[in-house]
Structures are given as structure tokens and as C-alpha cells.
Amino acid sequence: LLYRLLWVEVLLGLVGGCSALLLHYVHAQGGELLPALVGVSLAIGLLSGFELPLVLRLVETPQELDRRVSLVLSADYVGGLGAALAFPLLLLPELGAIQAAFALGLLNLTVVWVVIFRFDLEISPGRSVALASAAATSLLLVGLACSDELQSWVESKAHPGRSIVSHQTRYQRLLLARGRADLRLYINGNLQFSSRDEHRYHEALVHPAMLAAARRERVLILGGGDGLAAREVLAYPEVRTVHLVDLDPAMLALFRDDPALAALNEKSLDDPRLTATARDAMAYLEDTPWRYDVIVVDLPDPNSLDLGKLYSRRFYALASRCLRSGGALVIQSTSPWYAPDAYWCIVSTVESASRPERPLSVHPYWVTVPTFGGDWGFTLALAAGAQLPLGQPPVRTRFLTAEVLAGLFAFPRDTKRQETAINRLDDQALVRYYWAAQDGQRGR
């Protein structure tokens, strides 16, 4: 029984340790992630399920059974609780998924080595376990030592171009890749912008709200740690104060200190009118005493529950409360073509945040961003005193003209409005819509 338990621990350490690398590779190759995820989960679950009965069967006498069962179950509970807390709060933020998996796999193998040395297993089955454990330990140690190189290798399979920055921050994985014609930023594997056409996205995001607002003195940017939305905002000479709130200080530091990236955002993060704060966007809205003429919400797509809360009715109600009279709120709202349910859910959720004391008129619009695969959507919400934007922006633009601006608010028939649920903190319909759209894309 002891040898069986040790074999289970060896296999569990090996499968668990290599699981994150395997899943990242499958995703990078464009394969079906769900079957791979289910397979890995089943393998880990089955091996984990063998541990407890094997340990209990090692009890030598029936008289000790009650005490041993209590001890084993207590240890199992404490270990499970510790792992459940340590993985999201410590291991994943500090090490990243691949390195954390290798570390946890080595922890299982440490148990094997403790038992081998404790009981001095020298007979043939013991030597076989020791050899297998040595091979698995060596493999995981190499993986742990080379985890950054392995992560870069996997990323090179998924994203075109030469990786020039690959960094796991406490909150996300940042990858900056230089191709033949552009510079691209990926966050957790998702494209955030290409230098080739980011101006289309950021001009469409910022200028309609700036033109619609009655004043443009105070501006709040939520997200946008790359400084590109701030670049467009700061082009207006009447802007006196810009508060930029991004969760990740490493993101802000990267786009402030890297010469190529600072040139791309025209050193907007060093502008004396701008104050950058590393903080959760919702927590900022709950606490700030400031009121703004324009609020720009430039957050990643709602692909997780953590991000989904920043697209909730509660979030938009807080944002509207922070608008001054005549203010404008604009939100990046994913693609009305690839994720129509998710897009119109955001629009409906913003509309639901309107209150008699703080009425909002909501205007969806879209633009074509080629590197995003086509259409991209935004939502513009105007407080009383603001009006729909018209005319040419009074600053230099590369894409936006008066004619283009007027056409942004007209939707083709094949992306017309759909009825959706409201995204609430306690029921994040938006995240489900977004996941369904992503699954549909992978199935094509």
C-alpha cells in the first residue's frame, strides 16, 4: 500500500506540475482547450482521490482507526484550505501559472522523498519508486528553472513577432512583441493594441466623449495604463487635470520608462497635468471626492468575473455619480460583430444605471480596427447638458474626421440591437455572454 501511495504522489506531482504548460501550449496552438482542461482536471482529481483511502488503509490496528481518520481528514482539510488560499493570493501573482504549477508538483515529490528516507526503502519496489521520483523531480526542477523561457516559447507559438518584453506582474501577464510592421501588446494572451492601427481605436474611444462634454477641464481614465488614451486626452489644451487609474503599477512603469513605448504614447504619463494611481477602478470610484467632465473607461474585455464587476450596473452608477453636469462617459465595449450579446449587454447595463436624479442618454457606436479582426464597439453616456458630438475634432487626428465621426453611430442591419440581461454584481450575465462568444469563435 505504501508503494502504491508513493506512485500516486509521483504521478500527481508530474501531471500537476506539467499541467499549466500543457494547457498553455494547447491554447497557443489554437486547439480545443476544454477537452484538454477536462482531461487534466480528471487526471488530477482521480489521483487525488486515491490518496485518502490509501492513507487510511495504512492504519495498522482497528483501535487506531478513529484517531487516524480524524487526523488524516484534519490534515487534508488544512492542506486543502492552505493551497486554496496560497495559489490565488501568493503563488499565481508572484510566480505565474506555469512556474506555480511546477512548484506545486515539486511539493508532492517532496512528500515522496521524505517517506523514502524516513522508511529507508531499499527493496526492489522502493528503488523503482525512487528512480521514478528522481526522474520526475529532475524534470520539474528543469521546468521551474526554465519557466520564463518555456513561457516565452509558448507565447511565440501563439503570437507573431519577436518577444521583447515578457513579464508576469502581480496581476497579469504582459507580452510585448515586435513584428515586421508593428509593435503589439498582449495581456494574458489577449491582444490589447497594435501600433499599426491603435490610433483608430483610441481616437474613436476618446474624441467623441471629449467633443460631447460641455467642458473638458477634468478627465478620469480608468484602465489605459499604456498611456495611449491619455495621449489623445492631453491633446486638448483646455484639459487641466487628468487622473489615470490602472490596477497594475508594472503596466504604468513599463509604458513610462520604455523609450519605444513612451514615444508611442508621446510621453503622456510624464505630462505634469496627469496623475497616475495604481488602484482598483471600482474602489477608486467609491472613494473619490472628484467630479469629472469626461470619464474614459478603457478596461480589458470582460473575460473573467474580476473584470466583469467593472462592467456592472453598480460600476456605471458609481461612474455616473462622478460626472459633472454636462459630462460624458465612454466605455470600450468589445465587438458588436464577434460578441453581439456581450456588446449589447454592456449598452443595456449602462442604460439601467440612469436615474431620475442623474439621467443618462446612451449612444452605442463602433469603429473598424483591422488588427482586432474588424468591428469594435463603444458606449457613450451623456449627462444632462452634454450633446452628441458633431464636427471635426479640434486637435490633430490620423483617422477621425467630421464625416467619419457622424457615421460611427450608425449600425448595419447585421449588428442591430439585441435584447440581453443586465450585468449585475451578483449575476454576471456579461461574462457568460463573452465566454459563449469566445467558444463560438474557437469552434469556427
Side-chain angles (χ1 to χ4, degrees), residues 187-209:
I187 295 180
N188 296 331
N190 299 310
L191 178 64
Q192 299 304 298
F193 73 76
S194 162
S195 60
R196 187 175 183 180
D197 59 9
E198 58 80 15
H199 63 280
R200 281 179 166 241
Y201 171 90
H202 290 101
E203 288 181 13
L205 171 70
V206 169
H207 294 300

Side-chain angles (χ1 to χ4, degrees), residues 277-339:
T277 303
R279 196 178 179 194
D280 177 79
M282 180 171 280
Y284 181 87
L285 291 177
E286 289 174 338
D287 296 342
T288 184
W290 286 78
R291 297 295 178 264
Y292 297 93
D293 300 312
V294 176
I295 298 178
V296 178
V297 182
D298 187 18
L299 296 166
D301 278 355
N303 56 21
S304 69
L305 296 176
D306 284 343
L307 286 168
K309 74 174 186 178
L310 304 180
Y311 289 82
S312 65
R313 179 164 63 180
R314 168 66 176 165
F315 183 84
Y316 297 135
L318 290 171
S320 67
R321 187 190 68 180
C322 293
L323 279 178
R324 298 170 76 180
S325 176
L329 164 69
V330 64
I331 302 130
Q332 93 77 13
S333 306
T334 198
S335 171
W337 174 255
Y338 290 109

